[in-house]
């Protein structure tokens, strides 16, 4: 049975069925042996193409004897040749031999087409009691007594019984053929279906891949657009801020109280706008991977005290107390001081913003480690052991974040409270930038939160080498 | 694939033999295998061969069923009709598409129950799509529709089917396949439409000297048993 690229439709149409494709020689031979054992009749199975698939017989003494006689041997070979090459029809043929024996040739058909035949015999019809004249006169040297004695040992069966058992054998072989064909079709279809499914999946994957590439291009376009626009927005804004500062400093004459207040508001709002634009620019650069990060050792004490100085006024305004802790063994960090401050400021600012009046924000630095293997420790044996790191945590006692929102808070422009009645401001860029900056430092950021109890952001960043 | 001999009716001029492929399509559990079983059971044994079913243990068709029917006409032409079913379940689409390769005519077995209207529509669209994938023009291949399960409750009424038949391009047949009603009318209708199309495309009358009417008379004679009351 071949299961190559053969067209499934061809096989299903049943036109390629050959006896030897669906029946093994061994199984046909074993059926024929059993037939021979039961009835003592020789049987041969021949395919439509003329291949002998099974041949079960015992040499007959009569045939052996005749083969020692010149004419006997010739006539015997001729008869066997005729029987083998007999033009097979849909009907059974009973072909006589000069010995008085007969050959019964039974055609095998499948789905209305000839597919082979089997030959039962030679046997002597039980109705024939005497050896015919054609046997006794086959050769002048024949010994009639020997021939008669051998004739009597030939297998014998009544013609109607031979007909019945041949019909039975035909039924068995055709059943085998049907089952074999069924199995062949099933396996062919199995393979063809798998191939067809694979082809379909491969096509779909290809389509997905190209739409993914398309999306990636669009995303790139968006980042470039953001970066360009932010840059273009910043230039005029710098002028606005500069001239506002000049006016405030009295460069254009003294100001009334009202004018000074208004200018203060203008400058405040312009600063906010500049902050937003800077964030957009950062995000654009981060996404385009074009933000250069410096790498230098940073003292955690200096980092946190700078942070505290910056955040205290805001915290005071909201009546939120700050608790800053630095563990004894905390190593120096390795990274860009400006960007690390930006990370911490963003997280601390959020924590203050989302704390209740009178609440507390805890900022902690301690020794940590970054596992070089995956989170599950998969393949840990193949990786270097964990690297020294600094764990920075920012904890608030605010409203907390629902679990289904946790996975989205690092997406750009995402706001947990995106309604129009938002209590808290911001463009939703802070955490996205924080995440990108942390990634850019080879660190990781995690968040845990309990609704109503507060949120903890944990940032693990690589530590500087000991001798740094 | 047009022009590829694999995808056309198989003609063996030397043996004066035609092989025609007919496919029973339709949604899961609409009665495609039941149609073939009924044909096998009602058809005369000298025409119908053995029904081959390839199914899972809960009687769902896995790959296809196949029933060969041989019609030897008086003019010496031997026509082998091969009836196939497809697996109806949605997930077996690749197999359905394979079975549909090179088909000459399609009997779409619809479920008459109102609740199955969507499944019928979906399966028909799937048939159209799979024919196109096999480079067979759905506008040109003979398709007939059988509304099966006429003995069930909550079915589309005969009057509704009458209306459907009036505006339908495809001939509509009614059947209760599990009891054999209407299956032979459906089969004869399918053979008639397919033969008409084959005659148009291949001029069989000129090549083999057998007219469509003559051929259908032979088919009627071969498949005469049918206790079903009404078909069309």
């Amino acid at each position: 049975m071949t299961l190559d690229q053969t067209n499934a439709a061809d096989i299903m149409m049943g036109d390629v069925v050959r006896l030897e494709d669906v029946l093994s020689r061994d199984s046909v031979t074993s059926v024929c042996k059993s037939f021979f054992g039961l009835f003592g009749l020789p049987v041969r199975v021949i395919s439509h193409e003329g291949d002998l698939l099974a041949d079960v017989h015992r040499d007959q003494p009569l045939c052996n004897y005749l083969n020692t006689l010149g004419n006997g041997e010739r006539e015997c070979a001729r008869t066997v040749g005729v029987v083998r090459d007999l033009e097979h029809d849909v009907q059974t043929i009973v072909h006589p031999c000069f010995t008085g024996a007969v050959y019964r040739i039974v055609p095998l058909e499948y789905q209305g087409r000839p597919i082979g035949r089997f030959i039962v015999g030679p046997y002597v019809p039980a109705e024939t009691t005497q050896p015919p004249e054609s046997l006794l006169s086959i050769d002048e040297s024949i010994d009639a007594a020997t021939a008669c004695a051998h004739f009597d040992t030939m297998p014998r069966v009544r013609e109607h019984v031979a007909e019945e058992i041949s019909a039975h054998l035909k039924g068995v072989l055709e059943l085998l053929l049907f089952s074999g064909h069924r199995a062949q079709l099933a396996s062919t279809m199995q393979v063809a279906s798998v191939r067809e499914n694979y082809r379909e999946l491969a096509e779909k994957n290809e389509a997905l891949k190209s739409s993914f590439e398309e999306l990636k291009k669009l995303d790139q376009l968006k980042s470039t657009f953001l970066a360009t626009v932010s840059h273009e927005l910043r230039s005029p804004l710098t002028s606005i801020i500069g001239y506002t500062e000049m006016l405030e400093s009295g460069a254009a004459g003294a100001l009334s109280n009202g004018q000074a207040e208004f200018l203060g508001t203008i400058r405040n709002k312009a600063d906010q706008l500049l902050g937003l634009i800077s964030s957009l620019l950062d995000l654009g650069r981060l996404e385009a991977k074009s933000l250069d990060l410096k790498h230098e050792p940073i003292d955690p004490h200096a980092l946190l005290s700078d942070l505290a100085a910056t955040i205290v006024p805001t915290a005071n305004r909201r009546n939120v107390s700050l608790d800053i802790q630095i563990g004894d063994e905390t190593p120096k960090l390795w990274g860009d001081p400006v960007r690390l401050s930006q990370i911490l400021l963003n997280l601390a600012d959020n924590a203050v913003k989302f704390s209740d009046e009178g609440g507390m924000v805890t900022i902690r630095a301690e020794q940590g480690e970054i596992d070089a293997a995956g989170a599950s420790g998969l393949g840990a044996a193949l990786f270097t052991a964990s690297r020294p790191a600094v764990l920075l945590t920012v904890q608030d006692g605010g409203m907390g974040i629902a679990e289904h929102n946790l996975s989205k808070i690092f997406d750009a422009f995402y706001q947990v409270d995106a309604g129009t009645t938002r209590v808290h401001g911001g463009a939703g860029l802070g955490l996205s930038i924080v995440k990108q900056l942390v990634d850019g430092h080879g660190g990781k950021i995690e968040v845990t939160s309990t609704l109503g109890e507060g949120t903890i952001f944990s940032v693990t960043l690589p530590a500087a080498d000991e001798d740094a | 694939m047009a022009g590829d001999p694999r995808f056309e009716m198989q003609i063996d001029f030397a043996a004066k033999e035609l092989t025609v492929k007919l496919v029973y399509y339709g949604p899961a559990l609409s009665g495609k295998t039941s149609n073939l079983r009924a044909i096998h059971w009602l058809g005369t044994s000298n025409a119908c061969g053995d029904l081959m079913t390839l199914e899972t243990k809960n009687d769902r068709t896995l790959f296809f069923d196949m029933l060969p029917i041989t019609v030897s006409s008086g003019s010496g032409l031997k026509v082998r009709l091969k009836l196939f079913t497809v697996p109806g379940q949605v997930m077996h689409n690749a197999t359905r598409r394979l079975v549909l390769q090179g088909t000459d005519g399609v009997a779409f077995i619809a479920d008459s129950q109102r609740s199955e209207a969507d499944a019928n529509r979906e399966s028909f669209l799937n048939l159209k799509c799979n024919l196109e994938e096999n480079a067979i023009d759905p506008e040109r291949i003979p398709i007939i529709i059988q509304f099966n399960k006429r003995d069930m409750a909550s079915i589309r009424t005969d009057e509704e089917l009458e209306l459907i038949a009036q505006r339908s391009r495809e001939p509509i047949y009614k059947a209760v396949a599990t009891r054999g009603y209407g299956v032979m009318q459906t089969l004869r209708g399918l053979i008639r439409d397919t033969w008409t199309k084959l005659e148009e495309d291949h001029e069989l009358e000129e090549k083999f000297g057998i007219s469509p009417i003559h051929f259908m008379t032979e088919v009627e004679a071969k498949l005469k048993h049918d206790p079903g009351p009404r078909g069309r």
Side-chain angles (χ1 to χ4, degrees):
Chain A
M1 186 184 308
T2 50
L3 293 175
D4 52 8
Q5 294 287 327
T6 314
N7 189 279
D10 282 350
I11 291 182
M12 277 190 294
M13 290 302 275
D15 294 338
V16 294
V17 174
R18 298 186 311 150
L19 258 186
E20 45 273 68
D21 283 342
V22 288
L23 289 185
S24 76
R25 280 166 196 265
D26 290 348
S27 61
V28 181
T29 302
S30 84
V31 167
C32 292
K33 273 184 180 159
S34 146
F35 178 86
F36 182 76
L38 269 176
F39 307 110
L41 297 177
V43 60
R44 289 171 183 81
V45 180
I46 300 167
S47 76
H48 189 60
E49 290 73 24
D51 295 327
L52 184 64
L53 294 186
D55 181 0
V56 181
H57 70 280
R58 190 188 297 134
D59 285 348
Q60 294 298 327
L62 179 62
C63 301
N64 288 345
Y65 172 62
L66 289 171
N67 275 321
T68 62
L69 310 173
N71 284 339
E73 187 184 8
R74 256 194 308 282
E75 195 54 27
C76 186
R78 200 187 63 79
T79 308
V80 169
V82 168
V83 166
R84 275 205 63 160
D85 300 336
L86 212 57
E87 191 62 45
H88 37 273
D89 201 355
V90 287
Q91 300 299 326
T92 295
I93 298 171
V94 179
H95 187 79
C97 172
F98 69 93
T99 56
V102 295
Y103 293 89
R104 181 175 280 272
I105 302 130
V106 185
L108 292 168
E109 260 189 64
Y110 191 66
Q111 293 186 355
R113 283 186 174 173
I115 190 157
R117 60 196 184 279
F118 65 89
I119 301 166
V120 177
Y123 65 89
V124 177
E127 293 82 355
T128 310
T129 49
Q130 293 297 317
E133 188 49 36
S134 53
L135 168 62
L136 299 177
S137 62
I138 192 71
D139 193 280
E140 53 199 21
S141 63
I142 193 165
D143 175 44
T146 310
C148 284
H150 288 326
F151 179 80
D152 289 342
T153 66
M154 288 288 284
R156 259 158 225 279
V157 62
R158 291 185 181 282
E159 276 294 41
H160 76 272
V161 176
E163 196 176 330
E164 275 172 24
I165 56 184
S166 296
H168 174 71
L169 181 61
K170 181 180 164 80
V172 169
L173 289 175
E174 285 180 347
L175 180 69
L176 280 177
L177 190 57
F178 181 77
S179 309
H181 186 213
R182 191 173 177 279
Q184 187 200 29
L185 286 180
S187 51
T188 309
M189 278 305 289
Q190 175 82 41
V191 171
S193 297
V194 167
R195 196 184 295 134
E196 184 67 8
N197 270 321
Y198 177 80
R199 188 190 64 77
E200 198 175 328
L201 278 179
E203 266 177 19
K204 286 186 175 163
N205 278 340
E206 202 49 49
L208 277 178
K209 204 172 138 193
S210 66
S211 63
F212 175 68
E213 292 298 329
E214 191 66 23
L215 282 176
K216 255 185 15 192
K217 264 187 227 156
L218 285 175
D219 194 52
Q220 181 72 42
L221 211 61
K222 180 214 74 183
S223 300
T224 316
F225 174 76
L226 267 183
T228 315
V229 166
S230 324
H231 185 77
E232 294 303 317
L233 285 175
R234 202 159 65 158
S235 311
L237 196 57
T238 316
S239 301
I240 292 174
I241 292 171
Y243 281 100
T244 310
E245 280 173 349
M246 278 159 67
L247 282 176
E248 276 184 316
S249 69
L255 298 174
S256 71
N257 285 347
Q259 285 169 332
E261 193 192 326
F262 286 179
L263 279 176
T265 309
I266 289 174
R267 201 163 70 86
N268 194 6
K269 294 298 170 190
D271 281 342
Q272 274 184 21
L273 199 52
L274 187 63
L276 175 62
I277 290 168
S278 301
S279 298
L280 279 174
L281 204 53
D282 282 352
L283 188 71
R285 283 180 185 155
L286 283 166
E287 288 187 346
K289 309 267 184 246
S290 64
L291 186 75
D292 286 330
L293 292 174
K294 285 185 217 151
H295 282 96
E296 56 187 69
I298 301 159
D299 178 17
H301 291 88
L303 187 69
L304 290 198
S305 58
D306 278 357
L307 171 71
T310 318
I311 199 82
V312 159
T314 321
N316 285 346
R317 271 203 301 280
R318 290 190 51 88
N319 193 21
V320 171
S321 49
L322 289 177
D323 178 14
I324 297 190
Q325 305 168 358
I326 300 177
D328 293 339
E329 303 281 312
T330 312
K332 284 183 179 173
L333 292 116
W334 181 249
D336 186 322
V338 176
R339 297 302 174 181
L340 289 191
S341 295
Q342 193 182 349
I343 291 171
L344 279 178
L345 186 61
N346 236 307
L347 294 177
D349 201 46
N350 270 345
V352 170
K353 194 160 80 178
F354 290 103
S355 283
D356 297 328
E357 182 95 7
M360 179 187 282
V361 168
T362 310
I363 300 168
R364 193 182 298 119
E366 60 198 300
Q367 191 177 20
E369 56 183 41
I370 293 176
D371 199 349
S376 61
L378 191 67
L382 301 172
F383 296 90
T384 51
S386 54
R387 287 176 293 148
V390 178
L391 173 64
L392 300 163
T393 46
V394 178
Q395 178 174 9
D396 68 54
M399 64 175 94
I401 303 166
E403 198 171 337
H404 63 273
N405 284 324
L406 280 180
S407 61
K408 299 180 211 152
I409 58 171
F410 295 112
D411 295 347
F413 304 106
Y414 183 77
Q415 297 273 5
V416 172
D417 172 19
T420 46
T421 56
R422 285 166 52 200
V423 178
H424 309 286
L429 287 174
L431 286 178
S432 168
I433 291 172
V434 166
K435 168 96 168 69
Q436 303 238 23
L437 285 174
V438 171
D439 288 349
H441 277 87
K444 64 174 180 181
I445 182 164
E446 284 169 333
V447 58
T448 54
S449 188
T450 314
L451 273 181
E453 287 181 22
T455 306
I456 308 173
F457 282 92
S458 314
V459 177
T460 312
L461 291 165
D465 285 341
E466 304 247 326
D467 51 358
Chain B
M1 280 180 269
D4 184 333
R6 269 189 336 220
F7 295 95
E8 289 174 4
M9 168 195 58
Q10 297 173 2
I11 308 179
D12 183 342
F13 283 101
K16 289 193 86 177
E17 186 184 272
L18 280 184
T19 305
V20 179
K21 183 175 185 180
L22 303 172
V23 173
Y24 279 61
Y25 211 89
L29 296 173
S30 68
K32 300 172 288 294
T33 303
S34 299
N35 260 273
L36 256 60
R37 281 193 202 288
I39 295 166
H40 184 235
W41 150 56
L42 294 167
T44 50
S45 59
N46 62 348
C48 285
D50 288 327
L51 172 66
M52 182 181 284
T53 58
L54 295 168
E55 58 198 14
T56 56
K57 62 181 174 215
N58 48 1
D59 281 355
R60 307 297 297 268
T61 302
L62 186 57
F63 294 125
F64 57 80
D65 308 306
M66 195 251 286
L67 178 67
I69 299 177
T70 311
V71 180
S72 300
S73 81
S75 65
L77 179 68
K78 186 160 147 191
V79 180
R80 301 159 75 227
L81 302 165
K82 293 214 164 191
L83 275 48
F84 286 87
T85 65
V86 296
Q89 289 164 283
V90 176
M91 62 172 176
H92 292 312
N93 194 40
T95 311
R96 266 197 298 283
R97 195 159 52 231
L98 287 172
V99 175
L100 214 49
Q101 280 178 1
T103 187
D104 297 299
V106 176
F108 185 85
I109 309 301
D111 192 321
S112 293
Q113 297 177 95
R114 293 187 183 285
S115 56
E116 299 306 306
D118 280 348
N120 289 338
R121 270 193 291 273
E122 218 162 279
S123 175
F124 196 84
L125 290 176
N126 176 255
L127 164 66
K128 192 166 168 284
C129 180
N130 279 336
L131 283 171
E132 281 163 354
E133 289 250 351
N134 278 316
I136 300 172
D137 185 354
E139 302 287 329
R140 289 186 34 85
I141 188 164
I143 301 177
I144 62 158
I145 297 175
Q146 178 194 81
F147 277 89
N148 189 21
K149 307 194 187 179
R150 300 302 299 157
D151 56 340
M152 302 283 275
S154 320
I155 53 170
R156 287 163 179 237
T157 61
D158 286 354
E159 292 72 34
E160 284 176 78
L161 290 194
E162 207 56 53
L163 282 174
I164 291 173
Q166 279 170 22
R167 58 183 171 81
S168 168
R169 256 176 57 172
E170 294 81 19
I172 304 289
Y173 295 82
K174 293 185 279 188
V176 183
T178 48
R179 288 196 261 154
Y181 295 153
V183 292
M184 285 307 197
Q185 284 93 331
T186 307
L187 175 62
R188 280 197 292 266
L190 176 62
I191 297 174
R192 187 187 313 114
D193 289 3
T194 305
W195 193 265
T196 307
K197 176 71 169 49
L198 292 176
E199 174 63 41
E200 275 172 28
D201 292 356
H202 300 276
E203 295 164 335
L204 298 174
E205 185 166 4
E206 200 183 308
K207 286 174 186 153
F208 297 102
I210 179 166
S211 72
I213 294 173
H214 181 184
F215 177 71
M216 281 318 293
T217 315
E218 305 254 10
V219 169
E220 298 273 345
K222 293 280 188 212
L223 303 171
K224 61 189 165 197
H225 300 282
D226 190 355
R230 285 282 61 82
R232 228 173 148 155

